[in-house]
Short mmCIF file of all heavy atoms in Angstrom, two decimals:
data_model
loop_
_atom_site.label_atom_id
_atom_site.label_comp_id
_atom_site.label_asym_id
_atom_site.label_seq_id
_atom_site.Cartn_x
_atom_site.Cartn_y
_atom_site.Cartn_z
N TYR A 770 121.00 97.72 35.05
CA TYR A 770 120.80 96.28 34.91
C TYR A 770 119.43 95.91 34.37
O TYR A 770 119.29 94.95 33.60
CB TYR A 770 121.01 95.58 36.26
CG TYR A 770 122.38 95.80 36.86
CD1 TYR A 770 122.55 96.05 38.22
CD2 TYR A 770 123.53 95.79 36.06
CE1 TYR A 770 123.80 96.27 38.77
CE2 TYR A 770 124.78 96.00 36.61
CZ TYR A 770 124.91 96.24 37.96
OH TYR A 770 126.15 96.45 38.50
N GLY A 771 118.40 96.64 34.76
CA GLY A 771 117.05 96.31 34.33
C GLY A 771 116.90 96.27 32.82
O GLY A 771 116.41 95.27 32.26
N PRO A 772 117.30 97.32 32.09
CA PRO A 772 117.18 97.28 30.63
C PRO A 772 117.99 96.14 29.99
O PRO A 772 117.56 95.56 28.99
CB PRO A 772 117.71 98.65 30.19
CG PRO A 772 117.47 99.53 31.38
CD PRO A 772 117.71 98.65 32.57
N LEU A 773 119.16 95.82 30.57
CA LEU A 773 119.97 94.74 30.01
C LEU A 773 119.29 93.38 30.19
O LEU A 773 119.26 92.55 29.27
CB LEU A 773 121.35 94.74 30.68
CG LEU A 773 122.23 95.97 30.41
CD1 LEU A 773 123.51 95.90 31.24
CD2 LEU A 773 122.56 96.07 28.92
N VAL A 774 118.75 93.13 31.38
CA VAL A 774 118.03 91.88 31.62
C VAL A 774 116.82 91.78 30.71
O VAL A 774 116.52 90.72 30.13
CB VAL A 774 117.60 91.77 33.11
CG1 VAL A 774 116.70 90.57 33.32
CG2 VAL A 774 118.83 91.68 34.01
N ALA A 775 116.10 92.90 30.56
CA ALA A 775 114.91 92.90 29.70
C ALA A 775 115.29 92.58 28.26
O ALA A 775 114.61 91.79 27.59
CB ALA A 775 114.21 94.25 29.79
N ARG A 776 116.38 93.16 27.77
CA ARG A 776 116.78 92.95 26.38
C ARG A 776 117.23 91.51 26.14
O ARG A 776 116.89 90.91 25.11
CB ARG A 776 117.91 93.92 26.02
CG ARG A 776 118.36 93.82 24.56
CD ARG A 776 119.54 94.73 24.30
NE ARG A 776 120.72 94.31 25.06
CZ ARG A 776 121.89 94.98 25.07
NH1 ARG A 776 121.98 96.12 24.39
NH2 ARG A 776 122.91 94.54 25.77
N GLU A 777 117.95 90.93 27.10
CA GLU A 777 118.56 89.63 26.87
C GLU A 777 117.70 88.45 27.31
O GLU A 777 117.84 87.35 26.77
CB GLU A 777 119.91 89.57 27.60
CG GLU A 777 120.92 90.59 27.07
CD GLU A 777 122.21 90.64 27.90
OE1 GLU A 777 122.39 89.72 28.74
OE2 GLU A 777 123.00 91.58 27.72
N GLN A 778 116.80 88.67 28.29
CA GLN A 778 116.10 87.53 28.86
C GLN A 778 114.58 87.68 28.96
O GLN A 778 113.90 86.69 29.23
CB GLN A 778 116.66 87.24 30.27
CG GLN A 778 118.13 86.84 30.25
CD GLN A 778 118.69 86.64 31.65
OE1 GLN A 778 119.11 87.59 32.30
NE2 GLN A 778 118.71 85.40 32.09
N LEU A 779 114.06 88.88 28.76
CA LEU A 779 112.62 89.07 28.92
C LEU A 779 111.90 89.44 27.63
O LEU A 779 110.67 89.58 27.63
CB LEU A 779 112.34 90.16 29.98
CG LEU A 779 112.85 89.87 31.38
CD1 LEU A 779 112.54 91.05 32.30
CD2 LEU A 779 112.21 88.59 31.93
N GLY A 780 112.66 89.62 26.54
CA GLY A 780 112.00 89.88 25.27
C GLY A 780 112.10 91.30 24.76
O GLY A 780 111.42 91.63 23.79
N GLY A 781 112.88 92.16 25.41
CA GLY A 781 113.04 93.50 24.88
C GLY A 781 112.61 94.59 25.83
O GLY A 781 112.27 94.33 27.00
N PRO A 782 112.58 95.84 25.37
CA PRO A 782 112.26 96.96 26.25
C PRO A 782 110.80 97.02 26.70
O PRO A 782 110.52 97.59 27.75
CB PRO A 782 112.61 98.18 25.41
CG PRO A 782 112.53 97.71 23.99
CD PRO A 782 112.96 96.28 24.01
N ALA A 783 109.88 96.46 25.91
CA ALA A 783 108.46 96.56 26.27
C ALA A 783 108.16 95.93 27.63
O ALA A 783 107.45 96.54 28.45
CB ALA A 783 107.59 95.94 25.18
N PRO A 784 108.66 94.73 27.95
CA PRO A 784 108.38 94.18 29.28
C PRO A 784 108.94 95.03 30.41
O PRO A 784 108.31 95.15 31.47
CB PRO A 784 109.06 92.80 29.24
CG PRO A 784 109.13 92.46 27.79
CD PRO A 784 109.34 93.76 27.08
N TRP A 785 110.10 95.63 30.18
CA TRP A 785 110.68 96.48 31.23
C TRP A 785 109.84 97.74 31.41
O TRP A 785 109.61 98.20 32.52
CB TRP A 785 112.12 96.82 30.89
CG TRP A 785 112.82 97.65 31.91
CD1 TRP A 785 113.43 98.85 31.73
CD2 TRP A 785 113.00 97.34 33.30
NE1 TRP A 785 113.98 99.31 32.90
CE2 TRP A 785 113.73 98.40 33.89
CE3 TRP A 785 112.62 96.27 34.10
CZ2 TRP A 785 114.07 98.42 35.23
CZ3 TRP A 785 112.97 96.28 35.44
CH2 TRP A 785 113.67 97.34 36.00
N GLY A 786 109.38 98.29 30.31
CA GLY A 786 108.49 99.44 30.42
C GLY A 786 107.21 99.09 31.15
O GLY A 786 106.70 99.89 31.94
N LEU A 787 106.68 97.89 30.90
CA LEU A 787 105.47 97.45 31.61
C LEU A 787 105.74 97.31 33.10
O LEU A 787 104.91 97.71 33.94
CB LEU A 787 105.01 96.10 31.03
CG LEU A 787 103.77 95.48 31.68
CD1 LEU A 787 102.56 96.38 31.50
CD2 LEU A 787 103.51 94.09 31.07
N ALA A 788 106.91 96.77 33.45
CA ALA A 788 107.26 96.61 34.87
C ALA A 788 107.39 97.98 35.55
O ALA A 788 106.90 98.17 36.67
CB ALA A 788 108.56 95.82 35.01
N LEU A 789 108.02 98.92 34.89
CA LEU A 789 108.13 100.27 35.46
C LEU A 789 106.76 100.91 35.60
O LEU A 789 106.48 101.63 36.57
CB LEU A 789 109.03 101.14 34.59
CG LEU A 789 110.53 100.76 34.55
CD1 LEU A 789 111.27 101.64 33.56
CD2 LEU A 789 111.15 100.87 35.94
N GLY A 790 105.88 100.65 34.64
CA GLY A 790 104.52 101.16 34.75
C GLY A 790 103.79 100.58 35.95
O GLY A 790 103.03 101.28 36.63
N CYS A 791 104.03 99.29 36.23
CA CYS A 791 103.41 98.66 37.40
C CYS A 791 103.93 99.27 38.70
O CYS A 791 103.18 99.40 39.68
CB CYS A 791 103.66 97.15 37.39
SG CYS A 791 102.72 96.28 36.13
N PHE A 792 105.21 99.64 38.71
CA PHE A 792 105.74 100.35 39.89
C PHE A 792 104.99 101.66 40.09
O PHE A 792 104.60 102.01 41.21
CB PHE A 792 107.23 100.61 39.71
CG PHE A 792 107.87 101.35 40.86
CD1 PHE A 792 108.38 100.66 41.94
CD2 PHE A 792 107.96 102.74 40.85
CE1 PHE A 792 108.97 101.34 43.01
CE2 PHE A 792 108.53 103.42 41.91
CZ PHE A 792 109.04 102.72 42.99
N GLY A 793 104.79 102.40 39.01
CA GLY A 793 104.06 103.66 39.11
C GLY A 793 102.63 103.46 39.59
O GLY A 793 102.13 104.23 40.42
N ILE A 794 101.96 102.43 39.08
CA ILE A 794 100.61 102.14 39.54
C ILE A 794 100.62 101.78 41.02
O ILE A 794 99.71 102.15 41.77
CB ILE A 794 99.99 101.01 38.69
CG1 ILE A 794 99.83 101.48 37.25
CG2 ILE A 794 98.64 100.57 39.26
CD1 ILE A 794 99.43 100.38 36.29
N GLY A 795 101.67 101.09 41.45
CA GLY A 795 101.79 100.75 42.87
C GLY A 795 101.92 101.98 43.75
O GLY A 795 101.35 102.03 44.84
N THR A 796 102.64 102.99 43.26
CA THR A 796 102.75 104.22 44.07
C THR A 796 101.38 104.89 44.23
O THR A 796 101.08 105.44 45.28
CB THR A 796 103.74 105.21 43.43
OG1 THR A 796 103.27 105.63 42.15
CG2 THR A 796 105.13 104.59 43.30
N ILE A 797 100.57 104.84 43.19
CA ILE A 797 99.23 105.42 43.30
C ILE A 797 98.39 104.61 44.29
O ILE A 797 97.67 105.18 45.12
CB ILE A 797 98.55 105.46 41.92
CG1 ILE A 797 99.32 106.41 41.00
CG2 ILE A 797 97.10 105.89 42.03
CD1 ILE A 797 98.80 106.45 39.58
N ALA A 798 98.51 103.27 44.24
CA ALA A 798 97.77 102.44 45.19
C ALA A 798 98.21 102.73 46.62
O ALA A 798 97.39 102.79 47.54
CB ALA A 798 97.99 100.96 44.86
N GLY A 799 99.52 102.93 46.83
CA GLY A 799 100.01 103.26 48.16
C GLY A 799 99.47 104.59 48.65
O GLY A 799 99.13 104.75 49.82
N ALA A 800 99.39 105.57 47.74
CA ALA A 800 98.85 106.87 48.12
C ALA A 800 97.37 106.77 48.49
O ALA A 800 96.91 107.39 49.45
CB ALA A 800 99.05 107.88 46.99
N VAL A 801 96.63 105.98 47.72
CA VAL A 801 95.21 105.78 48.05
C VAL A 801 95.07 105.14 49.43
O VAL A 801 94.22 105.54 50.24
CB VAL A 801 94.54 104.90 46.97
CG1 VAL A 801 93.12 104.51 47.40
CG2 VAL A 801 94.48 105.64 45.64
N LEU A 802 95.92 104.16 49.71
CA LEU A 802 95.89 103.52 51.03
C LEU A 802 96.15 104.52 52.14
O LEU A 802 95.45 104.53 53.18
CB LEU A 802 96.95 102.40 51.07
CG LEU A 802 97.19 101.72 52.43
CD1 LEU A 802 95.92 101.01 52.91
CD2 LEU A 802 98.36 100.75 52.34
N MET A 803 97.12 105.41 51.93
CA MET A 803 97.48 106.37 52.97
C MET A 803 96.46 107.50 53.11
O MET A 803 96.53 108.27 54.07
CB MET A 803 98.87 106.94 52.70
CG MET A 803 99.98 105.91 52.80
SD MET A 803 99.95 104.99 54.36
CE MET A 803 100.38 106.28 55.51
N MET A 804 95.53 107.62 52.18
CA MET A 804 94.44 108.57 52.34
C MET A 804 93.55 108.20 53.52
O MET A 804 92.90 109.06 54.13
CB MET A 804 93.61 108.64 51.06
CG MET A 804 94.30 109.28 49.88
SD MET A 804 94.29 111.08 49.95
CE MET A 804 92.55 111.42 49.63
N VAL A 805 93.49 106.90 53.83
CA VAL A 805 92.58 106.43 54.89
C VAL A 805 93.31 105.81 56.07
O VAL A 805 92.72 105.65 57.15
CB VAL A 805 91.57 105.41 54.32
CG1 VAL A 805 90.67 106.08 53.29
CG2 VAL A 805 92.28 104.22 53.70
N TRP A 806 94.58 105.46 55.91
CA TRP A 806 95.33 104.78 56.98
C TRP A 806 96.28 105.77 57.64
O TRP A 806 97.07 106.43 56.98
CB TRP A 806 96.11 103.60 56.39
CG TRP A 806 96.84 102.79 57.43
CD1 TRP A 806 96.46 102.54 58.71
CD2 TRP A 806 98.08 102.09 57.23
NE1 TRP A 806 97.39 101.74 59.34
CE2 TRP A 806 98.40 101.44 58.46
CE3 TRP A 806 98.94 101.95 56.15
CZ2 TRP A 806 99.55 100.68 58.61
CZ3 TRP A 806 100.09 101.18 56.30
CH2 TRP A 806 100.39 100.55 57.53
N LYS A 807 96.20 105.86 58.96
CA LYS A 807 97.09 106.71 59.72
C LYS A 807 97.82 105.88 60.77
O LYS A 807 97.41 105.81 61.93
CB LYS A 807 96.31 107.83 60.42
CG LYS A 807 95.71 108.86 59.48
CD LYS A 807 95.05 109.98 60.29
CE LYS A 807 94.52 111.07 59.40
NZ LYS A 807 93.91 112.17 60.20
N PRO A 808 98.89 105.19 60.39
CA PRO A 808 99.61 104.37 61.37
C PRO A 808 100.16 105.22 62.50
O PRO A 808 100.65 106.33 62.28
CB PRO A 808 100.73 103.73 60.54
CG PRO A 808 100.86 104.57 59.33
CD PRO A 808 99.51 105.15 59.06
N ARG A 809 100.08 104.69 63.70
CA ARG A 809 100.52 105.45 64.87
C ARG A 809 102.04 105.57 64.90
O ARG A 809 102.58 106.64 65.15
CB ARG A 809 100.01 104.78 66.15
CG ARG A 809 100.43 105.50 67.43
CD ARG A 809 99.75 104.90 68.66
NE ARG A 809 100.23 105.52 69.86
CZ ARG A 809 101.26 105.08 70.58
NH1 ARG A 809 101.91 103.99 70.18
NH2 ARG A 809 101.64 105.71 71.67
N ARG A 810 102.74 104.48 64.64
CA ARG A 810 104.21 104.50 64.65
C ARG A 810 104.70 104.82 63.23
O ARG A 810 104.91 103.93 62.41
CB ARG A 810 104.77 103.18 65.16
CG ARG A 810 104.46 102.94 66.64
CD ARG A 810 105.25 101.78 67.20
NE ARG A 810 104.98 101.60 68.62
CZ ARG A 810 105.65 102.19 69.60
NH1 ARG A 810 106.65 103.02 69.30
NH2 ARG A 810 105.34 101.98 70.86
N LEU A 811 104.87 106.09 63.00
CA LEU A 811 105.12 106.57 61.65
C LEU A 811 106.36 105.97 61.01
O LEU A 811 106.31 105.40 59.91
CB LEU A 811 105.26 108.10 61.69
CG LEU A 811 103.99 108.91 61.95
CD1 LEU A 811 104.35 110.32 62.38
CD2 LEU A 811 103.14 108.94 60.71
N LEU A 812 107.50 106.07 61.70
CA LEU A 812 108.75 105.66 61.09
C LEU A 812 108.96 104.15 61.14
O LEU A 812 109.62 103.59 60.26
CB LEU A 812 109.92 106.37 61.76
CG LEU A 812 109.96 107.89 61.53
CD1 LEU A 812 111.20 108.49 62.18
CD2 LEU A 812 109.93 108.22 60.04
N LEU A 813 108.41 103.48 62.13
CA LEU A 813 108.53 102.03 62.17
C LEU A 813 107.79 101.41 60.98
O LEU A 813 108.34 100.57 60.26
CB LEU A 813 107.97 101.48 63.48
CG LEU A 813 107.97 99.95 63.61
CD1 LEU A 813 109.38 99.40 63.52
CD2 LEU A 813 107.31 99.53 64.94
N VAL A 814 106.56 101.84 60.78
CA VAL A 814 105.80 101.33 59.63
C VAL A 814 106.47 101.72 58.32
O VAL A 814 106.61 100.90 57.40
CB VAL A 814 104.35 101.87 59.68
CG1 VAL A 814 103.61 101.55 58.39
CG2 VAL A 814 103.60 101.28 60.86
N GLY A 815 106.92 102.98 58.24
CA GLY A 815 107.57 103.43 57.02
C GLY A 815 108.84 102.64 56.72
O GLY A 815 109.07 102.23 55.57
N THR A 816 109.67 102.40 57.73
CA THR A 816 110.92 101.68 57.50
C THR A 816 110.66 100.23 57.11
O THR A 816 111.35 99.69 56.23
CB THR A 816 111.79 101.74 58.77
OG1 THR A 816 112.08 103.11 59.07
CG2 THR A 816 113.10 101.00 58.57
N LEU A 817 109.69 99.59 57.73
CA LEU A 817 109.36 98.22 57.34
C LEU A 817 108.95 98.15 55.87
O LEU A 817 109.15 97.13 55.20
CB LEU A 817 108.25 97.67 58.23
CG LEU A 817 108.62 97.42 59.70
CD1 LEU A 817 107.39 97.00 60.50
CD2 LEU A 817 109.71 96.34 59.81
N CYS A 818 108.38 99.24 55.38
CA CYS A 818 107.94 99.27 53.98
C CYS A 818 109.08 99.55 53.00
O CYS A 818 108.85 99.57 51.79
CB CYS A 818 106.83 100.30 53.81
SG CYS A 818 105.24 99.78 54.48
N VAL A 819 110.30 99.75 53.50
CA VAL A 819 111.44 99.90 52.60
C VAL A 819 112.00 98.54 52.19
O VAL A 819 112.58 98.39 51.11
CB VAL A 819 112.53 100.77 53.26
CG1 VAL A 819 113.74 100.93 52.34
CG2 VAL A 819 111.97 102.15 53.59
N PHE A 820 111.81 97.52 53.02
CA PHE A 820 112.32 96.18 52.70
C PHE A 820 111.88 95.71 51.31
O PHE A 820 112.68 95.11 50.58
CB PHE A 820 111.90 95.17 53.76
CG PHE A 820 112.71 95.23 55.02
CD1 PHE A 820 112.17 95.74 56.19
CD2 PHE A 820 114.02 94.77 55.05
CE1 PHE A 820 112.91 95.79 57.37
CE2 PHE A 820 114.78 94.82 56.22
CZ PHE A 820 114.22 95.33 57.38
N PRO A 821 110.61 95.91 50.89
CA PRO A 821 110.22 95.43 49.56
C PRO A 821 110.98 96.05 48.40
O PRO A 821 110.91 95.53 47.28
CB PRO A 821 108.72 95.80 49.49
CG PRO A 821 108.26 95.80 50.91
CD PRO A 821 109.43 96.36 51.67
N LEU A 822 111.72 97.14 48.63
CA LEU A 822 112.52 97.70 47.54
C LEU A 822 113.64 96.76 47.11
O LEU A 822 114.25 96.95 46.05
CB LEU A 822 113.11 99.05 47.95
CG LEU A 822 112.17 100.24 47.95
CD1 LEU A 822 112.94 101.51 48.25
CD2 LEU A 822 111.44 100.37 46.64
N ALA A 823 113.92 95.72 47.91
CA ALA A 823 114.91 94.72 47.51
C ALA A 823 114.33 93.75 46.48
O ALA A 823 115.09 93.06 45.78
CB ALA A 823 115.39 93.93 48.74
N LEU A 824 113.01 93.68 46.37
CA LEU A 824 112.39 92.68 45.51
C LEU A 824 112.69 92.87 44.02
O LEU A 824 112.95 91.87 43.32
CB LEU A 824 110.87 92.66 45.74
CG LEU A 824 110.42 92.20 47.13
CD1 LEU A 824 108.89 92.32 47.26
CD2 LEU A 824 110.85 90.75 47.38
N PRO A 825 112.63 94.09 43.47
CA PRO A 825 112.93 94.21 42.04
C PRO A 825 114.34 93.73 41.67
O PRO A 825 114.51 93.04 40.65
CB PRO A 825 112.77 95.71 41.77
CG PRO A 825 111.77 96.16 42.79
CD PRO A 825 112.12 95.36 44.02
N SER A 826 115.34 94.07 42.48
CA SER A 826 116.70 93.60 42.19
C SER A 826 116.77 92.09 42.26
O SER A 826 117.39 91.44 41.39
CB SER A 826 117.69 94.22 43.17
OG SER A 826 117.76 95.62 43.03
#
Side-chain angles (χ1 to χ4, degrees):
Y770 302 138
L773 295 174
V774 172
R776 183 184 65 184
E777 297 174 11
Q778 297 176 276
L779 298 178
W785 182 237
L787 179 62
L789 292 175
C791 288
F792 179 88
I794 295 171
T796 63
I797 295 176
V801 171
L802 173 63
M803 295 307 293
M804 290 281 289
V805 296
W806 184 33
K807 292 185 176 181
R809 180 173 176 269
R810 293 191 178 271
L811 289 162
L812 293 183
L813 177 61
V814 170
T816 300
L817 291 175
C818 286
V819 179
F820 282 108
L822 284 185
L824 294 176
S826 296

